[in-house]
Amino acid sequence: MNNRCTIRDIAHLAQVSTSTVHKAIYGKPGVGEEVRQKILRIAEENHYTINPTASNLKRGLLNVVVALPQLPKSQDQFYRGLWRGIDNSEPFMRDRNVMVLRMSCGQNAEEQMAALEEVLAMTDVDGMITYCWDDQLLNPYFERLHERGIPVVTVEADAPDSCRAGCVTIDAERSGRLVAETMGKMLKRQGQLLLLSGFQPPNLLRDKAYGFSTYAAQHLPGQRILQLYSSSYDDDLENIIFQELHVHPDIAGVYCATGSAGLPMCRALHRAGVAGQVVAVASDAYEELLPYLEDGTVHATVWQAPEQQAENALLLLYDFMTGRAAGPVIRHVPLGILFQNNCSYYI
């Protein structure tokens, strides 16, 4: 069969109706998984491709809801990068007749559940991208979206046990191991390593903490882990970190697993008079962090490619909506360690 294979041709080969083929290719409900995979395999073998322009003209405008955190600038060090990625990708989506609808998913799981209820009340949603504040509480909402044939792609923080269609993120456990390896090469003395892991619900933070702790246990046996859970921000978090540095003068290194903890960590290190002496590794690259990299307060920071995560999430969602992908699909973006001399290139 040539490259002009049609849905009718696939239906004949699969011995099903053309409507069944259409549902399978476009990821709509009403098709068993075994039949769906058979149809997708036949389509791939016969080089069936969807003409985006013709398909969208037939199906009309596609509406994609992007629900990501929208926090004050002092707390959005990572999320602003996600939104830049959405902005970068919107012209590509618009050319394919896809409208991006922006909304906030709140600052915690309860606020996100309210946002998901709002999405479920809409009648014209074809796909969704969101961040997961909790990888368990949100599962019933993803199931309801799945039942309506609305694919969900998570970005950065995932809900791996849910029926979301796909996820674009970092390898969080490897990220934690990378930080521990980097810190181990810089430590000047033995002592405690302060792990600022934020609040517990996002599985991403748990995986970072696990990777950091297991690598340190294996390769840095003289260093003990002091893990700090806190949902505080700004001045409150600075005071908490300062108190830990005061109570535990043997702290030799600090790792911020969240971008929002970076600046409070830096201010606390200066207040405690140990800036530059305690090895500090932050997360993300943003303008406000540069002075602390330049003066040696921060020794390194982890690059998590937020723009690339968001751009890839939109592309993956488009593939689900047009039948090019069948879930679940997990895509990892590359990690990187940034230092004083290369950090500005990533901002």
Side-chain angles (χ1 to χ4, degrees):
M1 191 173 291
N2 60 31
N3 288 340
R4 299 184 65 183
C5 172
T6 67
I7 285 182
R8 189 181 298 275
D9 295 324
I10 297 172
H12 175 72
L13 291 171
Q15 297 183 326
V16 297
S17 67
T18 55
S19 63
T20 299
V21 173
H22 187 274
K23 289 177 183 178
I25 287 176
Y26 287 98
K28 298 296 182 182
V31 183
E33 189 58 27
E34 185 177 346
V35 174
R36 185 188 305 277
Q37 293 302 324
K38 177 182 178 181
I39 290 170
L40 294 175
R41 185 180 67 254
I42 291 172
E44 182 178 3
E45 290 172 352
N46 291 279
H47 309 292
Y48 175 81
T49 58
I50 299 172
N51 182 316
T53 303
S55 177
N56 286 332
L57 285 172
K58 279 185 178 182
R59 299 162 62 220
L61 187 70
L62 295 174
N63 291 316
V64 170
V65 172
V66 176
L68 298 173
Q70 293 178 330
L71 306 181
K73 188 174 181 181
S74 62
Q75 303 167 18
D76 76 340
Q77 288 81 0
F78 177 80
Y79 307 116
R80 73 180 76 158
L82 290 180
W83 285 113
R84 280 196 299 267
I86 298 300
D87 292 340
N88 294 342
S89 297
E90 189 167 16
F92 177 89
M93 292 292 112
R94 194 183 303 118
D95 288 345
R96 283 149 185 80
N97 215 18
V98 177
M99 178 66 68
V100 175
L101 309 175
R102 292 168 170 79
M103 66 183 297
S104 171
C105 69
Q107 300 187 42
N108 52 54
E110 288 70 25
E111 292 180 8
Q112 185 166 14
M113 287 189 283
L116 288 169
E117 287 286 5
E118 186 178 340
V119 174
L120 284 162
M122 300 177 181
T123 59
D124 56 350
V125 176
D126 299 287
M128 183 176 186
I129 290 173
T130 194
Y131 175 94
C132 293
W133 286 112
D134 190 292
D135 59 335
Q136 297 297 325
L137 291 178
L138 302 177
N139 291 357
Y141 297 91
F142 292 156
E143 289 173 5
R144 290 164 63 187
L145 289 163
H146 178 73
E147 289 169 0
R148 288 179 48 184
I150 300 173
V152 175
V153 172
T154 58
V155 62
E156 178 70 349
D158 190 21
D161 296 325
S162 71
C163 59
R164 55 94 176 96
C167 176
V168 179
T169 184
I170 60 168
D171 185 332
E173 183 178 335
R174 187 177 296 272
S175 175
R177 293 176 66 85
L178 178 62
V179 171
E181 179 183 3
T182 302
M183 187 175 286
K185 299 179 186 302
M186 297 179 172
L187 287 170
K188 303 177 178 68
R189 58 187 173 88
Q190 290 190 343
Q192 297 194 79
L193 304 180
L194 179 58
L195 168 57
L196 307 174
S197 55
F199 55 98
Q200 284 188 288
N203 70 306
L204 177 93
L205 298 181
R206 296 198 300 270
D207 289 347
K208 285 183 178 181
Y210 177 78
F212 180 84
S213 300
T214 54
Y215 185 94
Q218 293 168 1
H219 301 281
L220 306 173
Q223 312 293 344
R224 301 179 304 281
I225 305 297
L226 175 62
Q227 191 162 357
L228 176 63
Y229 300 102
S230 176
S231 58
S232 300
Y233 292 106
D234 302 331
D235 293 341
D236 288 341
L237 183 55
E238 177 188 335
N239 291 331
I240 292 170
I241 299 170
F242 172 77
Q243 184 65 22
E244 293 295 329
L245 292 168
H246 177 71
V247 173
H248 303 283
D250 63 335
I251 289 176
V254 182
Y255 165 39
C256 290
T258 66
S260 59
L263 298 180
M265 173 194 71
C266 293
R267 296 193 297 266
L269 287 168
H270 277 276
R271 280 177 59 190
V274 294
Q277 302 171 35
V278 172
V279 176
V281 180
S283 292
D284 306 318
Y286 44 95
E287 296 89 344
E288 301 95 318
L289 192 67
L290 279 176
Y292 293 106
L293 277 158
E294 291 170 353
D295 71 9
T297 302
V298 174
H299 294 71
T301 190
V302 183
W303 174 243
Q304 303 179 116
E307 291 93 341
Q308 187 176 347
Q309 286 195 44
E311 291 166 7
N312 287 353
L314 266 175
L315 290 173
L316 180 57
L317 182 61
Y318 182 74
D319 285 347
F320 280 116
M321 293 190 299
T322 55
R324 290 180 170 87
V329 175
I330 308 297
R331 293 181 181 170
H332 289 129
V333 298
L335 289 165
I337 287 286
L338 308 184
F339 300 96
Q340 176 184 3
N341 289 302
N342 68 337
C343 187
S344 60
Y345 292 106
Y346 291 81
I347 297 176

